[in-house]
Amino acid sequence: MRRRTLLQLPLLAGAAFDQALQAAERQLEPQFDLPGSLRFGVMGDSGSGKSGQLRVASRMRNWHSKQPWDFVAMMGDNIYENGEPKYFDSKFVDVYREMIEEGVPFHATLGNHDVRYRDGRDMVQEEAFGFVGRKPEYEFFAGPTLADGKRLARFICLNTNDWIDAIDGQDRKTQDRLLGSLRERLRDADKSHWNIFYFHQPIYSFVKPGLLGIISRGHGGSEALKQVLEPEIREYADLVMAGHDHFYQKVRPQHGVHHLISGAAGKLRKGGDNSNPQVESGHQEFHFMDFSVGEDSLHYQAINDRGHRIHSGRIDKRGARRLVDIVG
């Protein structure tokens, strides 16, 4: 090999490395041109008031300025540590003020920290958190009316704090009330093209074993919800979103239903068991999510506090899924 060629090798290697790095960065760029007629954001476990929340909020503001959302859904634990009204401004309104003043609706669910103060009643009554009808469980429709007369999407928010307390405490009266209300909503499931559920505690979430069996690495999925809630919704739900565990996790379809955990918009815990065979993708990073919904499919992407896309995917409308996905 000639001496000139040898001298050029470091330059060639450096150029190849730069090209590879640029290609990798392009792959990490969020996608603005996702197909669909409904665009919305998601954040979970946001209300820490600390730097992680502020970085994610800044990214959300920048994103919305380029790709406006119809609304933002919140997966709970909106105000740490105890859901106290004195922090509503500093840990929510002030942080997302620009989007709120631009008219972006926020629709929250109650987290376990939110209900520590007066069972979350003050939060439910606060207009900024967007509890429809000032109730802890509610629904709303979004997107256009389709040719068959159905609305594109219906979002059903549940208060899983009440569900878990009633199931674990064997409170049949409260269970019957919650089930009755849910079943009434499900009677109208065929009036919406997509039925999307969101709440705080997840049905499915996979975490690593605790250190020495004492220190928790995360909450994990709720057996109570799996036993009582999941059988009620799995024939109707296209997607279930939750928070509670402070990471990102996309679970493989369970009984035909896709489950997403988005619980790191303000706090982070590195306890996700991303090697579990039921986990499609998992990341221990601060993030928010972007969704775009069309008639045939729903596209989603998780975007971290550096503005990089850490995961993205597509969910086909349930009737178009392969049989292997429906078996669960």
Side-chain angles (χ1 to χ4, degrees), residues 42-44 56 60 246-249 261-266 268 283-289 302-305 310:
V42 164
M43 63 180 185
V56 172
M60 291 176 66
H246 299 163
F247 48 66
Y248 170 82
Q249 200 170 83
I261 310 302
S262 182
L268 187 66
H283 296 270
Q284 330 269 352
E285 298 189 52
F286 287 105
H287 71 276
F288 67 93
M289 295 195 71
I303 302 168
N304 67 15
D305 56 340
I310 56 177

Side-chain angles (χ1 to χ4, degrees), residues 303-315:
I303 302 168
N304 67 15
D305 56 340
R306 300 185 305 282
H308 295 156
R309 176 166 49 93
I310 56 177
H311 184 239
S312 60
R314 164 180 168 166
I315 296 173

Side-chain angles (χ1 to χ4, degrees), residues 22-131:
Q22 291 172 6
E25 289 178 346
R26 284 195 297 271
Q27 290 178 348
L28 293 172
E29 290 178 359
Q31 297 172 277
F32 288 100
D33 57 345
L34 294 176
S37 54
L38 171 65
R39 201 80 178 244
F40 67 95
V42 164
M43 63 180 185
D45 302 75
S46 54
S48 68
K50 297 181 179 179
S51 60
Q53 179 188 13
L54 300 181
R55 291 196 306 273
V56 172
S58 177
R59 292 293 177 183
M60 291 176 66
R61 289 194 299 271
N62 291 338
W63 179 267
H64 174 71
S65 69
K66 299 174 183 176
Q67 177 56 65
W69 285 316
D70 292 272
F71 63 90
V72 174
M74 302 169 66
M75 301 296 107
D77 280 358
N78 312 303
I79 302 293
Y80 286 105
E81 287 292 322
N82 302 309
E84 296 169 280
K86 65 182 180 180
Y87 296 118
F88 285 0
D89 284 345
S90 61
K91 296 186 178 182
F92 176 64
V93 175
D94 293 343
V95 178
Y96 308 102
R97 184 175 296 281
E98 289 183 23
M99 287 190 288
I100 292 172
E101 291 180 347
E102 289 176 11
V104 181
F106 285 73
H107 292 297
T109 188
L110 289 172
N112 58 297
H113 284 266
D114 301 320
V115 299
R116 290 181 178 180
Y117 185 85
R118 287 170 38 87
D119 294 325
R121 291 192 296 272
D122 296 82
M123 186 176 292
V124 170
Q125 295 302 314
E126 174 58 52
E127 182 179 2
F129 290 104
F131 287 86

Side-chain angles (χ1 to χ4, degrees), residues 133-279:
R134 303 292 199 275
K135 296 181 179 179
E137 295 197 339
Y138 59 88
E139 63 181 55
F140 64 93
F141 296 86
T145 300
L146 306 180
D148 60 4
K150 296 181 179 181
R151 286 295 296 271
L152 178 64
R154 178 172 66 157
F155 294 80
I156 299 175
C157 171
L158 300 179
N159 179 9
T160 44
N161 301 285
D162 281 354
W163 283 81
I164 292 172
D165 287 347
I167 297 166
D168 289 345
Q170 298 183 348
D171 181 350
R172 289 302 312 176
K173 183 178 180 180
T174 301
Q175 283 191 59
D176 289 344
R177 175 179 60 81
L178 293 169
L179 286 167
S181 176
L182 175 62
R183 289 167 181 168
E184 188 67 29
R185 298 185 194 280
L186 294 177
R187 289 193 183 99
D188 294 330
D190 61 348
K191 294 182 180 179
S192 305
H193 193 65
W194 293 85
N195 284 278
I196 298 171
F197 290 76
Y198 67 102
F199 36 77
H200 184 61
Q201 289 92 340
I203 299 175
Y204 291 96
S205 178
F206 298 92
V207 299
K208 297 175 182 178
L211 295 174
L212 303 176
I214 301 174
I215 302 175
S216 173
R217 302 295 295 274
H219 299 288
S222 167
E223 288 299 321
L225 297 178
K226 190 180 298 183
Q227 292 171 14
V228 178
L229 179 59
E230 185 187 26
E232 298 287 332
I233 68 174
R234 66 189 183 197
E235 298 303 319
Y236 304 94
D238 295 289
L239 170 65
V240 173
M241 303 184 295
H244 201 37
D245 275 317
H246 299 163
F247 48 66
Y248 170 82
Q249 200 170 83
K250 170 62 173 68
V251 178
R252 298 191 185 280
Q254 305 293 319
H255 304 285
V257 180
H258 292 259
H259 293 256
L260 276 165
I261 310 302
S262 182
K267 282 196 172 186
L268 187 66
R269 176 184 287 162
K270 298 185 177 182
D273 183 6
N274 299 327
S275 63
N276 190 292
Q278 295 301 320
V279 175

